């Protein structure tokens, strides 16, 4: 049975989750994402629990139980002026950090040096930290793709899926890979995705059909209008089934400008789905926005998960 059908929708429907990544990064990001969540402009957000403003985000999320907020599993720390590191204080994190005790700046470094047992302990610590602040996380995903082995082929998905199964969290993992032009990936990549989807299925973790997004960095000559055009084209190319679309919205403030190399793009993404023409595109294309809590409900019913 397809995921759409299992969720109670028709096979041919285009179902969309819009997730605001990097919640908890800073106060400016928190304010922007909270606005989008309350407006229901996005489906959900995910918190970077190791970051300095995660507590504000988590406490707000605990008070606003009507919104879907998950865990943005974080193992990299990419900005020079502002760094963060593990939240696990109960066991060694030596393989996860630099000589300054921060996470490495890039996924490749993390993939090459991380010990899987230390990764799993940190995953658990990040979830437990959110629970201790009163959150009821709806799902999980990963900052900068560090857990997927994208840089070296060394992934940590068995540990991730074990933790997600333990806490009843669906996870950002696409069953079907798409190329940048929206076409299905070549056979060898499709086979890798199939094997990982099988692993998720065996552990009872609900995953996506498709995962899409536009470049994180501001492109040469990019404006709000060109970004909007690109996003409209992406929406028109969606396949039937459940797709997650990633954005990184924020208010553009002195705080954000102080450390973030891409502040203008963050401000554009804050306004993107608030735009009247974008809302009309969603309507014209027959795209239905859904919630991560629907996937979580399905997972917990299938596995008999008890909270």
């Amino acid at each position: 049975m397809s995921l759409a059908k299992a969720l109670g929708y028709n096979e041919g429907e285009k179902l969309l989750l819009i997730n605001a990544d990097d919640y908890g990064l800073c106060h400016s990001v928190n304010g922007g994402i909270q606005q989008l969540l309350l407006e229901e402009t996005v489906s959900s957000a995910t918190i970077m629990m190791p970051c300095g403003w995660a507590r504000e985000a988590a406490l707000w999320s605990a008070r606003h139980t009507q919104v879907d907020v998950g865990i943005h599993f974080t193992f990299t720390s990419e900005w020079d002026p502002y760094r963060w590191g593990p939240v696990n204080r109960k066991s060694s994190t030596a393989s996860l950090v630099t000589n300054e005790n921060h996470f490495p700046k890039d996924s490749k470094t993390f993939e090459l040096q991380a010990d899987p047992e230390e990764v799993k302990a940190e995953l658990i610590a990040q979830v437990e930290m959110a629970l201790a602040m009163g959150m009821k996380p709806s799902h999980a995903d990963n900052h900068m793709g560090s857990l997927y082995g994208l840089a070296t082929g060394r992934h940590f998905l068995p540990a991730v899926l074990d933790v997600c199964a333990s806490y009843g969290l669906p996870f950002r993992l696409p069953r079907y890979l798409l190329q940048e032009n929206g076409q299905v990936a070549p056979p060898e990549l499709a086979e890798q995705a199939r094997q990982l989807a099988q692993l998720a299925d065996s552990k009872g973790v609900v995953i996506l059909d498709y995962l899409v997004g536009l470049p994180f960095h501001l492109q040469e000559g990019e404006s709000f209008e060109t970004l909007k055009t690109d996003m409209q084209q992406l929406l028109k190319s969606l396949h039937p089934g459940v797709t997650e679309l990633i954005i990184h919205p924020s208010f553009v403030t002195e705080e954000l400008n102080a450390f973030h190399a891409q502040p203008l793009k963050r401000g554009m993404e804050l306004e993107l789905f608030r735009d009247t023409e974008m809302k009309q595109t969603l309507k014209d294309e027959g795209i239905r926005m859904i919630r991560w809590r629907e996937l979580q409900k399905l997972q917990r019913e299938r596995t008999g998960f008890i909270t």
Side-chain angles (χ1 to χ4, degrees):
M1 183 188 296
S2 70
L3 179 55
K5 193 93 170 174
L7 291 170
Y9 298 103
N10 295 323
E11 293 277 2
E13 285 194 80
K14 295 178 180 180
L15 307 171
L16 182 64
L17 298 154
I18 303 177
N19 194 81
D21 282 22
D22 294 2
Y23 192 29
L25 176 65
C26 64
H27 183 62
S28 308
V29 167
N30 288 355
I33 288 177
Q34 288 162 6
Q35 176 179 305
L36 296 182
L37 286 168
L38 291 176
E39 293 173 348
E40 299 184 353
T41 300
V42 296
S43 308
S44 55
T46 37
I47 299 186
M48 302 173 70
M49 294 309 301
C51 290
W53 285 88
R55 179 175 172 80
E56 178 189 60
L59 293 176
W60 184 92
S61 303
R63 294 194 304 271
H64 294 80
T65 55
Q66 77 274 25
V67 302
D68 289 6
V69 178
I71 310 298
H72 199 48
F73 288 136
T74 301
F75 289 87
T76 48
S77 176
E78 67 271 35
W79 307 116
D80 273 333
Y82 171 34
R83 306 295 299 277
W84 49 84
V87 304
N88 177 23
R89 303 289 188 267
K90 297 180 180 178
S91 58
S92 175
T93 57
S95 75
L96 307 181
V97 297
T98 66
N99 58 6
E100 296 180 350
N101 288 319
H102 299 131
F103 288 130
K105 290 183 70 173
D106 61 277
S107 295
K108 182 178 180 180
T109 302
F110 165 76
E111 289 174 25
L112 290 173
Q113 72 184 39
D115 175 85
E117 289 303 315
E118 291 188 8
V119 170
K120 188 170 185 178
E122 177 64 18
L123 290 167
I124 292 169
Q126 291 185 20
V127 178
E128 287 290 340
M129 187 178 184
L131 295 174
M133 293 179 188
M135 271 186 66
K136 294 182 178 178
S138 53
H139 63 298
D141 54 35
N142 175 216
H143 185 56
M144 293 176 64
S146 57
L147 297 167
Y148 297 90
L150 300 176
T152 68
R154 185 171 184 255
H155 67 74
F156 300 87
L157 290 172
V160 173
L161 294 169
D162 281 343
V163 171
C164 287
S166 296
Y167 289 96
L169 303 174
F171 182 64
R172 175 185 289 167
L173 183 68
R175 188 174 297 275
Y176 311 108
L177 291 183
L178 297 175
Q179 300 180 90
E180 287 187 13
N181 60 6
Q183 298 303 305
V184 175
E188 62 274 15
L189 291 177
E191 176 59 21
Q192 289 176 23
R194 187 190 68 79
Q195 291 177 9
L196 291 172
Q198 266 189 340
L199 180 64
D201 292 344
S202 72
K203 296 178 183 294
V205 177
V206 171
I207 60 172
L208 305 162
D209 290 323
Y210 303 101
L211 177 64
V212 298
L214 293 177
F216 177 82
H217 293 84
L218 189 71
Q219 304 299 291
E220 187 174 351
E222 189 171 31
S223 66
F224 182 74
E225 289 304 315
T226 63
L227 174 64
K228 189 165 74 172
T229 298
D230 290 344
M231 185 60 78
Q232 287 171 319
Q233 288 304 118
L234 187 153
L235 292 174
K236 291 174 182 178
S237 72
L238 292 187
H239 294 253
V242 176
T243 299
E244 185 182 29
L245 191 160
I246 304 168
I247 60 173
H248 299 82
S250 178
F251 292 131
V252 180
T253 63
E254 184 178 354
E255 177 198 36
L256 193 73
N257 283 316
F259 74 90
H260 204 297
Q262 298 292 323
L264 293 180
K265 188 76 172 270
R266 307 289 67 83
M268 290 181 190
E269 292 190 348
L270 177 71
E271 297 300 329
L272 191 56
F273 286 96
R274 306 180 77 226
D275 182 86
T276 305
E277 291 181 9
M278 287 299 302
K279 291 178 179 179
Q280 189 61 45
T281 299
L282 288 168
K283 188 175 181 181
D284 292 346
E285 294 299 315
I287 296 167
R288 182 196 293 251
M289 281 183 61
I290 63 170
R291 303 280 294 276
W292 268 104
R293 66 179 57 195
E294 298 173 56
L295 280 68
Q296 184 177 53
K297 182 173 182 284
L298 174 65
Q299 176 170 322
R300 292 184 171 190
E301 285 176 350
R302 283 177 170 177
T303 60
F305 182 88
I306 299 172
T307 55

